[in-house]
Amino acid sequence: METQDTNNIRQRKGANGKTEENINEQFEKSKPKNARTIGLVFLSLLLDLLAFTMILPLLPSLLDYYHGQEGTSNTLYSSLLQAVQSFQKLTGAPDRFSSVLFGGALGSMYSFLQFLTSPIIGSLSDAYGRKPLLLICLVGITLSHALWSCATTFSLFVLARFIGGLSKANVSLCMAIVTDASDEKTRPKGMALVGLAFSIGFILGPLAGAWFAVNSSYETNAWGERPALYALSLSLANIATVLFFVPETLTKEKRTPLSMSLAKVIDYVSPWHLLNFTAVKNMTKRQSEVLSKLGVIYFIYLFIYSGLEFTLTFLTHHTFKYTAMQQGKMFLVIGVIMALLQGGASRRLGPRGAERAARAALILTPPSFLCVALAATSHPPVLRPISWLWAGLVLFAISTAFAVSCLSSMVAAASPEAARGAALGGLRSLGALARAAGPLLACAVYWYSGAAITYTIGSVILIFPAVMLYRLKL
């Protein structure tokens, strides 16, 4: 028989006048609806990432196409090329890697625009709701794919990438919807689905892009018309999915005034504020110290890592003569390894396990890129260049599966419980800033010094965040 005290506890009133029993019953009824919403967000992200990743194996050949078409004419490409050639005369850098520098500039532009717009659009969604802002982003992404499909000139291709970068806040909005539609217990499963969407997207998207490029005539393959049209169709399906099926998850009573929302933007666009996590309120001194150190570690790691990751396709294109299909298969292998690890070990890690996995991942990253550096030399020791390349890619996939997700878990664990969303939002902005600057620097060094020196320098610098994380006391 239950005691009177137990009955009193079970029947105590909630803030809205309902009993806790009624509140729990109401929450149980909302579970299927919330699970459906999270499933639809997974589908939206998957459609977006399948379209987004199709260009990855094609970018080196696309830039070679624009170089051949516009290198001697009076166009945007030729103007930029003349500036590069003027700098070449001063430094004595080689001409053969000019497309790498162009690719780095495009990659950095895309990430920098995402860094600027994500906090602004996120703040607007706090005031006006998630769904309207998500639809605006998806329309922009669709327009960028439509422009790519007819981008016979480099100027139109740059415009497509520019609009795509401005519109790429949809990922953070999807994560916000998952947060709205879940509680503390169900949120890890929702975020695991977000990670699964990324894994599947990076497995199938590049391979699909390469397949469509290979199975088309040269005229349409030159600027990737067929892959772009496929990406466009996925984006249109994404708009329909969100418009007709995804509900609004931020109710009007939970929205914040616009002036208050925009006041938070500075915390997400100022590098100093990002590194110090000023968006996170009510921290203890110890929490502030730990978060600041984790922010520095995360930024250095992702700054160097993203630059080296971005140049991988140029290395395989120039050194190993990989076709678009071979590039797609390379991403397939990397994605499968990551998906197996993310779906298995990383999803089941507790707080202490996440710390150990993050340290191991950062320790594995320098040797992974050192292997790639050896692959870029003519006569590496012990193994053939292609063997060194794949040894590096396997280590790269293993470390990538754990590094960012486990560092994010460490930041969440070190933050005040009521401010974990702000801490993770600041971390995402910090990562976008690192991804904006990293590819440009890495591609500039690659263009000037070649792949072997670029990856060697990068692997040495990556030792520092690994040592800093190992020495960090939590």
Side-chain angles (χ1 to χ4, degrees), residues 322-338:
Y322 270 22
T323 63
M325 182 56 73
Q326 287 173 309
Q327 298 268 24
K329 291 177 180 178
M330 178 183 76
F331 281 106
L332 173 66
V333 173
I334 292 172
V336 167
I337 294 172
M338 289 175 58

Side-chain angles (χ1 to χ4, degrees), residues 361-413:
L362 264 65
I363 289 170
L364 277 179
T365 307
S368 73
F369 285 113
L370 187 60
C371 289
V372 177
L374 289 170
T377 60
S378 301
H379 302 288
V382 184
L383 302 175
R384 296 180 303 151
I386 191 67
S387 300
W388 278 116
L389 174 67
W390 278 99
L393 291 177
V394 170
L395 290 175
F396 167 83
I398 294 171
S399 63
T400 302
F402 292 97
V404 172
S405 60
C406 291
L407 283 171
S408 299
S409 297
M410 292 175 71
V411 167

Side-chain angles (χ1 to χ4, degrees), residues 63 71 182 196 282 384 420:
L63 293 175
S182 60
L196 183 61
N282 302 318
R384 296 180 303 151
R420 284 176 180 167

Side-chain angles (χ1 to χ4, degrees), residues 44 117-142 166-174 176-177 180 238-239 242-243 246-250 255-256 258 261-262:
S44 174
T117 58
S118 289
I120 295 173
I121 291 175
S123 293
L124 289 172
S125 78
D126 288 340
Y128 296 111
R130 313 297 187 201
K131 186 171 179 175
L133 275 298
L134 180 57
L135 283 170
I136 291 171
C137 289
L138 294 180
V139 168
I141 291 170
T142 302
L166 285 176
S167 308
K168 205 57 185 163
N170 67 304
V171 175
S172 58
L173 287 176
C174 285
I177 292 173
D180 294 339
N238 199 356
I239 290 176
V242 173
L243 181 62
V246 175
E248 176 57 64
T249 56
L250 189 66
R255 297 177 189 178
T256 57
L258 181 59
S261 298
L262 292 178

Side-chain angles (χ1 to χ4, degrees), residues 81-317:
L81 185 60
Q82 287 174 11
V84 170
Q85 289 171 342
S86 298
F87 186 69
Q88 278 179 278
K89 292 177 181 177
L90 293 174
T91 59
D95 178 61
R96 66 185 184 278
F97 296 138
S98 292
S99 64
V100 180
L101 192 61
F102 278 77
L106 286 173
S108 291
M109 178 194 73
Y110 195 94
S111 295
F112 184 71
L113 291 169
Q114 184 181 354
F115 161 71
L116 288 178
T117 58
S118 289
I120 295 173
I121 291 175
S123 293
L124 289 172
S125 78
D126 288 340
Y128 296 111
R130 313 297 187 201
K131 186 171 179 175
L133 275 298
L134 180 57
L135 283 170
I136 291 171
C137 289
L138 294 180
V139 168
I141 291 170
T142 302
L143 177 59
S144 73
H145 292 314
L147 288 173
W148 175 28
S149 69
C150 54
T152 55
T153 65
F154 182 69
S155 300
L156 199 54
F157 181 72
V158 171
L159 179 61
R161 301 298 291 171
F162 187 87
I163 293 174
L166 285 176
S167 308
K168 205 57 185 163
N170 67 304
V171 175
S172 58
L173 287 176
C174 285
M175 296 180 76
I177 292 173
V178 170
T179 302
D180 294 339
S182 60
D183 61 359
E184 290 294 330
K185 291 183 178 179
T186 59
R187 193 161 299 137
K189 293 182 180 179
M191 291 303 176
L193 276 178
V194 172
L196 183 61
F198 272 86
S199 296
I200 296 174
F202 277 83
I203 289 171
L204 300 179
L207 196 62
W211 188 87
F212 277 102
V214 169
N215 290 277
S216 60
S217 64
Y218 173 78
E219 289 77 10
T220 58
N221 179 41
W223 67 90
E225 181 185 15
R226 283 194 62 185
L229 289 173
Y230 177 71
L232 176 61
S233 66
L234 290 175
S235 297
L236 289 170
N238 199 356
I239 290 176
T241 299
V242 173
L243 181 62
F244 294 112
F245 300 107
V246 175
E248 176 57 64
T249 56
L250 189 66
T251 58
K252 290 184 178 180
E253 57 269 19
K254 292 183 179 180
R255 297 177 189 178
T256 57
L258 181 59
S259 58
M260 187 185 300
S261 298
L262 292 178
K264 299 184 295 185
V265 170
I266 188 65
D267 291 329
Y268 295 112
V269 297
S270 165
W272 175 255
H273 286 76
L274 287 172
L275 287 170
N276 288 280
F277 287 87
T278 57
V280 182
K281 308 302 180 185
N282 302 318
M283 287 189 292
T284 65
K285 184 179 179 181
R286 178 59 183 162
Q287 286 174 328
S288 179
E289 290 175 354
V290 170
L291 283 178
S292 295
K293 289 178 180 177
L294 284 173
V296 172
I297 291 167
Y298 185 80
F299 180 80
I300 296 174
Y301 163 77
L302 207 55
F303 174 69
I304 301 298
Y305 164 89
S306 64
L308 300 182
E309 176 195 39
F310 186 86
T311 57
L312 274 175
T313 55
F314 291 96
L315 169 69
T316 53
H317 178 69

